[in-house]
Amino acid sequence: MATHAGQAADAPAADTTAFDAVVVGAGFGGMYMLHRLRGMGLRVTVIEAADDVGGTWNWNRYPGARCDVESLEYSFSFSEELQQEWTWTERFASQPEILAYARHVADRFDLRRGIRFGTRVRSAHYDEAQAQWSITTDRGDALRARFCIMATGCLSLPRMPDFPGRDRFGGRLLHTATWPHEPVDFTGLRVGVIGTGSSGIQVIPMIARQAAHLHVFQRTPNFSLPSGNRPLAGDEVAQFKARYPEVREKARHAPAGIAGMPAPDRGALDDPEERRREVYEAAWRNGSTGLTRAYNNLLMDEAANATAAEFVREKIRSIVTDPAVAERLTPRDHFIGTKRICLDSGYFQTFNRPNVTLVSLRETPIESITEAGIRTSREEIPLDVIVFATGFDAITGALLDIDIRGRRGLPLAEKWRGGPRTYLGLMTAGFPNLFSITGPGSPSVLTNMITSIEQHVDWIARCIHDLAARGARSIEADPAAEDGWVAHVNAVADQTLFPRANSWYVGANLPGKPRVFMPYVGGLGVYRRRCDEVAERGYEGFILDAPAAAVA
Ligand code: FAD
Ligand code: N01
């Protein structure tokens, strides 16, 4: 393995099949991993199924798509020049702007020459004798690498429920996560949107403005807060940029990886009702997801949570003019925040429009998709376009979509049959030199993902560097350390209300998926310290250079 900075990293070489590292995915995770490993002088290639960088922001091009972490924080911190030269125009950047940013990063750091686009990794098998990964793609590539790094994304495998008759539909079928590259014009069309998670809640107001009529097919009502999105003023951006070093440092140690969201110091029931309402009202007016972090026990204590949930229910009733529609839109089946909270721009207001109809699938379930539209238990609704906003096989989906095999040919799918098992969300025992960026068991989707991505990439880069310095060929999780981490992840989650919701955090959105709370809820700051300590103690809980088949 090359270890010296400045060495020809992924420059054209005689052998285009042998690498120090193969990275799968060119979203923010894969892009930064490439940059770091290249800087260490490694031969690295990135394989990306899409035609461009950006991952999430290249795939999810539906109208209304934007981030819910403020743009000034939802961006890379690793380069001072980058963060100073890029200027965000809105408090919550739109998908086109975030994609433009990803492309800028790719160009600025000359990443594209290290990425094979339009290529999907099909398998990754560990060769114990050689201590190498063999990787194959849908284009017939067969690559070998010491390290295989999965930057495949937590929300990258879209899920399209298999309603009877789906393929018979005579109109256009769209999924928010595989949106066409050219804009879709809904003018004059009869449109149906299935799903009212974050994607549905963003796309519905946009389609309603264009369509002749929009039917919203809602299975479970969701909590949503006003985003408070607005243009950013030039001086505001300049002042923020001037504070970047301090802001980023704060974010790295904050529970959610966001400097503007420090941990609150009091519980909801510590305040009298009047004061509590003022706090919620201020958070509502301010926008963002702050309301669910207004008190430190909202996600721990049922009674505390009920105060915030009821506040939002009242808001829904005050916005939606038809009381029967308001009632159908009111979430009652989960604690607020235990399913990913949604941020919207006029979502509930949309149901006051004469061209929008809410169809509650709890009352009238979808029976089939017909050639002409959607048939519920009550009627057939004629449609020109059906938009699936039905989400993802989250966190484990993209990993298990690849045929990954570790020691003795053990398939990852078999090892994770009862749910994912990892040490620190970084590695899984029996799969040496296989890392995952924001993998299950790490804070990932409960944080600003870019802060978490940087933390994982930096840790992996340091680990690979340290292995080379010691002359070690491999690293893998010790099964006992893994058991301990899985138990810890579950114990921390069980102290919260999170596992009780039927969310994608627990895989409840997919029939048959094992019910396991997948992200680490202990907070990014705490988690970062733990990862750093592990490295400083000589990779405690990992086995370096285990002989072939030595690890169970
Ligand atoms: P991704 O961006 O998902 O990239 C993974 C890449 O891997 C994809 O390009 C995919 O094509 C590729 N890939 C997967 N499998 C294979 C394979 N077998 N072969 C080849 N390539 C493969 N997070 C936040 O923190 N804040 C937000 O505001 C926010 N908003 C979001 C909005 C939407 C609509 C969605 C869907 C997610 C949002 N997220 C948000 C989460 C978002 O996914 C992360 O913030 C971040 O972009 C993830 O980057 P990534 O590189 O880890 O994964
Ligand atoms: O997916 P979801 P998403 N019949 O799984 C419904 C991030 N993100 O793409 O709740 C009928 O949340 C399903 O109903 P139910 C963010 O992390 C962020 O919206 O299962 N309905 C639900 O209403 C987010 O959490 C942003 O009963 C069916 C919806 O489809 C994550 O991505 C924007 C159904 C799926 O909601 C996923 O969000 C977008 C069926 N068979 C995404 N199957 C930001 O704002 C599913 N549904 C930053």
Side-chain angles (χ1 to χ4, degrees):
M1 177 171 49
T3 52
H4 302 292
Q7 203 165 313
D10 46 0
D15 187 352
T16 55
T17 61
F19 294 89
D20 295 320
V22 166
V23 178
V24 188
F28 287 128
M31 292 167 71
Y32 182 42
M33 194 78 247
L34 170 62
H35 177 64
R36 284 300 312 270
L37 294 182
R38 189 191 265 174
M40 289 159 59
L42 266 65
R43 287 203 70 227
V44 48
T45 190
V46 178
I47 302 176
E48 168 55 61
D51 56 356
D52 204 350
V53 294
T56 288
W57 304 103
N58 186 40
W59 288 106
N60 293 261
R61 295 177 183 229
Y62 59 86
R66 58 180 70 248
C67 56
D68 64 2
V69 171
E70 301 204 21
S71 329
L72 285 155
E73 294 219 39
Y74 187 70
S75 48
F76 282 124
S77 73
F78 68 83
S79 160
E80 173 63 4
E81 296 77 19
L82 171 66
Q83 64 187 7
Q84 291 302 333
E85 78 200 7
W86 184 263
T87 296
W88 297 105
T89 64
E90 289 181 272
R91 182 179 180 196
F92 297 100
S94 65
Q95 170 272 327
E97 191 166 33
I98 304 173
L99 181 57
Y101 171 76
R103 288 173 169 160
H104 171 75
V105 173
D107 293 338
R108 191 186 198 291
F109 297 100
D110 189 20
L111 300 181
R112 289 177 196 280
R113 69 183 163 86
I115 306 173
R116 301 176 191 205
F117 291 108
T119 308
R120 186 168 285 279
V121 168
R122 290 290 184 214
S123 71
H125 294 179
Y126 188 62
D127 174 341
E128 292 193 53
Q130 299 296 320
Q132 278 196 334
W133 283 90
S134 298
I135 291 137
T136 66
T137 76
D138 63 354
R139 290 207 169 193
D141 305 292
L143 312 178
R144 293 179 75 75
R146 173 68 49 80
F147 299 101
C148 182
I149 301 162
M150 294 297 175
T152 43
C154 292
L155 294 159
S156 56
L157 190 65
R159 180 178 166 259
M160 191 119 173
D162 197 10
F163 295 111
R166 197 183 70 195
D167 299 335
R168 269 206 324 257
F169 183 55
R172 192 165 184 195
L173 279 185
L174 298 169
H175 193 294
T176 47
T178 50
W179 202 261
H181 284 202
E182 69 286 355
V184 180
D185 184 3
F186 293 102
T187 310
L189 299 181
R190 300 161 304 173
V191 184
V193 174
I194 305 174
T196 52
S198 298
S199 303
I201 280 174
Q202 286 187 327
V203 81
I204 283 164
M206 302 298 286
I207 296 178
R209 282 182 213 164
Q210 275 193 346
H213 201 95
L214 170 64
H215 280 85
V216 175
F217 295 85
Q218 168 195 272
R219 188 163 66 182
T220 312
N222 228 328
F223 289 102
S224 185
L225 306 173
S227 66
N229 187 38
R230 57 178 171 76
L232 288 172
D235 54 345
E236 186 182 0
V237 173
Q239 282 166 20
F240 198 96
K241 283 184 178 179
R243 293 193 294 115
Y244 254 140
E246 169 208 332
V247 169
R248 299 298 201 183
E249 193 49 24
K250 235 187 198 167
R252 287 184 192 111
H253 301 282
I258 303 172
M261 246 173 224
D265 60 0
R266 51 196 293 114
L269 306 177
D270 298 338
D271 276 343
E273 190 182 341
E274 205 175 314
R275 172 67 194 139
R276 204 164 48 228
R277 289 192 69 83
E278 285 169 7
V279 168
Y280 290 148
E281 193 61 51
W284 179 272
R285 270 200 310 275
N286 181 47
S288 179
T289 54
L291 195 145
T292 56
R293 297 179 198 266
Y295 291 107
N296 61 17
N297 58 348
L298 290 181
L299 295 165
M300 317 285 280
D301 180 297
E302 286 187 34
N305 188 283
T307 63
E310 196 43 38
F311 176 85
V312 176
R313 290 189 195 111
E314 277 175 28
K315 287 290 185 192
I316 297 171
R317 287 192 287 270
S318 74
I319 296 169
V320 180
T321 49
D322 181 334
V325 176
E327 182 51 33
R328 287 193 183 97
L329 285 167
T330 300
R332 299 191 187 281
D333 79 319
H334 63 281
F335 301 105
I336 186 169
T338 55
K339 284 174 108 170
R340 170 81 174 207
I341 192 77
C342 304
L343 279 196
D344 69 85
S345 301
Y347 173 66
F348 292 114
Q349 290 82 346
T350 299
F351 293 91
N352 295 334
R353 296 177 64 105
N355 70 331
V356 176
T357 305
L358 178 67
V359 181
S360 167
L361 300 180
R362 298 278 179 215
E363 296 162 39
T364 56
I366 294 176
E367 289 186 340
S368 62
I369 295 183
T370 65
E371 203 181 329
I374 291 181
R375 187 189 304 284
T376 68
S377 59
R378 178 181 295 156
E379 61 188 326
E380 182 178 19
I381 299 168
L383 298 166
D384 301 304
V385 184
I386 302 177
V387 175
F388 282 71
T390 45
F392 302 87
D393 181 350
I395 303 182
T396 51
L399 290 168
L400 294 177
D401 197 44
I402 301 171
D403 172 17
I404 300 175
R405 297 182 190 213
R407 287 185 181 277
R408 294 191 289 272
L410 178 70
L412 185 63
E414 203 172 305
K415 175 168 177 190
W416 285 6
R417 183 158 291 155
R421 301 184 65 77
T422 70
Y423 180 40
L424 298 172
L426 281 159
M427 301 194 88
T428 186
F431 295 75
N433 292 356
L434 177 79
F435 296 96
S436 63
I437 298 176
T438 67
S442 76
S444 68
V445 291
L446 299 178
T447 66
N448 174 353
M449 289 283 282
I450 300 191
T451 322
S452 282
I453 283 170
E454 287 191 327
Q455 185 260 336
H456 260 192
V457 168
D458 289 341
W459 193 94
I460 294 167
R462 171 185 177 176
C463 174
I464 290 176
H465 171 273
D466 290 350
L467 290 182
R470 290 165 179 233
R473 286 202 311 172
S474 71
I475 180 167
E476 63 192 294
D478 181 333
E482 180 169 292
D483 290 347
W485 183 251
V486 171
H488 174 64
V489 169
N490 286 324
V492 180
D494 287 343
Q495 289 167 20
T496 73
L497 301 172
F498 274 109
R500 291 163 62 182
N502 289 325
S503 65
W504 55 258
Y505 296 142
V506 296
N509 63 328
L510 267 170
K513 190 162 172 170
R515 191 178 178 110
V516 173
F517 188 76
M518 294 181 281
Y520 176 56
V521 80
L524 180 62
V526 170
Y527 172 80
R528 177 189 299 277
R529 273 202 302 283
R530 179 75 176 259
C531 291
D532 288 348
E533 279 164 15
V534 161
E536 275 145 27
R537 292 182 192 148
Y539 294 91
E540 184 179 61
F542 289 99
I543 303 166
L544 272 55
D545 266 343
V551 176

